[in-house]
Amino acid sequence: MKGKTILASRLIYAMAWFFVAPAIPKILESYGLSPRFTGLVPVAFFLATGAMQVPSALISARIGAKRAYITGLAVMGLSEVTLGVSNSLPGILASYFVTGVGASLFFSSAGGLLAELNTGRESRAMGLYNAFFSIGGTLGYLWGYVEEGLGFREASELLGVLTLVMSGLNSLTDYPNPKGGKGRVENLGDIVVLSLATSGVWGVYYLVAESFPSFLYFEYGVPVAFSSALASALTVSSALGGFIATRLKADSVWAFVVFSTLGVLPTLGIYSANAYLPSLLALGALNEMAISVVYSLTLRLSGKGLGVFGLAIVNSGNILGGIGLVSLTYLSFYYSFLIAVAISVVEIAMGSIFLRNRLKSASEKVRNDKG
């Protein structure tokens, strides 16, 4: 597998998505906010990375994928340092928002370049890309122990320095700097539908990822360090799901429906203390397999050389649509998981009907043209 430095960077990049979760209860308590605001800080990050996916792909096409993802890592590192020195809630939100901007520059550019470096093995590359994200997510959760020992601000600054170092190491590699394929992304409408139909799959995962430590803390008084360590079962099993996905030859509508549905249902086990661990393990593995299938299907639909744009579009729809589920904590902190699963299943069903009809119409058109 080519692109090992990209995969290593994916670890550090992923930590930015999770390292704030263990600190959320203390942040809320320090500013006098109720548990309903658990999703506030993560949403600042998600808004930025979701809104900037497509613009970042355009930037990548202009300056090259390698330069774009290296720049993204640098922006993330600087903003994490700034997050550490922020002494107000608006400052924390603004810094984490900028971290999201940097993350958007990294995602599709690094993923698209990794796929290009491994032409013919895109499914394996995307499976590993997701698996390394999950490993990094686990490190992000465990960063909570660093936060407990040094303090959240110091731990954030340290992560920022590590991210800046990784940006520098990538600049020393001999990877090419492709500026994207020419032409329009093929099957754009289908990719948009796919992204919205699976936004619930994405949203459920991050609702659990960001809220589970706070859920146990506020509802049952479980210490955050312990609940965050327990939550790492989600990302550990996600890594397993990513590695399993490297063996899948699944890039069809049928595969999207099956894996996406299985990728949200284990969330319901969160309501039973005896099912915490098995539910997190099942959710992580199955959800990661579902997202890997979505990415593989997206690459197939995008057209040759346009994977960066296709991944940016599907990830943007996933994130912006999924933000609504992450924000469900404000509506009902306790029942947010149940509501999110119900919404996700409806989205998957509607998306599958639309995509199947589109594929059926396309097949009929081909037959008529031949006739």
Side-chain angles (χ1 to χ4, degrees):
M1 177 63 61
K2 298 179 181 178
K4 292 182 175 62
T5 307
I6 293 176
L7 292 174
S9 301
R10 182 78 159 154
L11 295 178
I12 302 300
Y13 157 89
M15 291 180 68
W17 291 68
F18 296 89
F19 84 103
V20 171
I24 288 176
K26 289 185 179 180
I27 292 175
L28 296 182
E29 290 177 341
S30 64
Y31 292 104
L33 298 176
S34 74
R36 293 170 59 195
F37 289 91
T38 295
L40 179 63
V41 178
V43 164
F45 177 90
F46 296 148
L47 277 174
T49 192
M52 287 297 296
Q53 285 296 317
V54 175
S56 293
L58 295 174
I59 292 172
S60 176
R62 186 173 182 83
I63 69 174
K66 180 181 178 181
R67 289 181 181 175
Y69 85 76
I70 289 174
T71 301
L73 286 172
V75 171
M76 292 178 72
L78 290 172
S79 61
E80 286 161 356
V81 171
T82 303
L83 178 61
V85 300
S86 298
N87 55 10
S88 68
L89 182 59
I92 291 173
L93 296 176
S95 295
Y96 207 34
F97 182 90
V98 176
T99 305
V101 173
S104 70
L105 278 167
F106 178 91
F107 169 74
S108 61
S109 298
L113 180 55
L114 183 66
E116 187 165 324
L117 289 171
N118 296 277
T119 302
R121 295 190 296 170
E122 289 88 353
S123 293
R124 176 174 170 77
M126 288 299 96
L128 286 174
Y129 196 57
N130 287 342
F132 273 75
F133 177 84
S134 301
I135 296 171
T138 303
L139 296 176
Y141 276 133
L142 297 179
W143 205 249
Y145 287 103
V146 179
E147 294 167 5
E148 192 174 73
L150 299 179
F152 173 70
R153 301 184 190 283
E154 291 77 7
S156 180
E157 292 169 5
L158 179 58
L159 179 58
V161 171
L162 290 175
T163 308
L164 289 170
V165 169
M166 188 56 70
S167 177
L169 290 176
N170 275 273
S171 68
L172 300 176
T173 64
D174 60 355
Y175 299 149
N177 187 44
K179 295 187 176 181
K182 296 181 179 179
R184 295 181 58 188
V185 174
E186 297 176 10
N187 304 300
L188 178 60
D190 292 341
I191 292 175
V192 171
V193 170
L194 179 65
S195 71
L196 295 177
T198 54
S199 64
V201 180
W202 187 96
V204 162
Y205 184 93
Y206 283 99
L207 172 63
V208 175
E210 301 292 349
S211 302
F212 183 73
S214 297
F215 178 73
L216 292 190
Y217 176 79
F218 286 119
E219 295 292 336
Y220 304 108
V222 177
V224 174
F226 176 79
S227 61
S228 296
L230 180 59
S232 68
L234 178 72
T235 49
V236 169
S237 62
S238 292
L240 175 61
F243 286 119
I244 292 174
T246 65
R247 302 295 181 181
L248 294 176
K249 298 294 183 182
D251 57 0
S252 65
V253 175
W254 177 86
F256 134 67
V257 173
V258 172
F259 282 102
S260 294
T261 303
L262 292 175
V264 299
L265 292 179
T267 306
L268 299 177
I270 284 175
Y271 290 107
S272 172
N274 293 328
Y276 286 159
L277 185 58
S279 296
L280 290 170
L281 291 171
L283 177 63
L286 293 171
N287 193 283
E288 195 68 31
M289 292 167 68
I291 293 297
S292 294
V293 168
V294 171
Y295 288 170
S296 296
L297 180 55
T298 299
L299 289 171
R300 196 192 84 178
L301 292 171
S302 299
K304 185 174 177 57
L306 293 165
V308 170
F309 288 101
L311 288 173
I313 292 167
V314 80
N315 208 39
S316 180
N318 277 178
I319 295 172
L320 294 177
I323 283 174
L325 301 192
V326 177
S327 302
L328 285 172
T329 57
Y330 185 78
L331 177 65
S332 174
F333 186 51
Y334 186 81
Y335 290 107
S336 58
F337 306 107
L338 174 62
I339 298 170
V341 170
I343 292 173
S344 300
V345 171
V346 171
E347 288 178 348
I348 294 166
M350 293 177 64
S352 67
I353 292 171
F354 183 89
L355 289 174
R356 286 181 182 277
N357 288 338
R358 287 275 303 226
L359 292 177
K360 182 179 179 181
S361 298
S363 298
E364 290 176 350
K365 184 178 184 300
V366 170
R367 287 197 298 269
N368 291 336
D369 289 342
K370 289 182 177 179

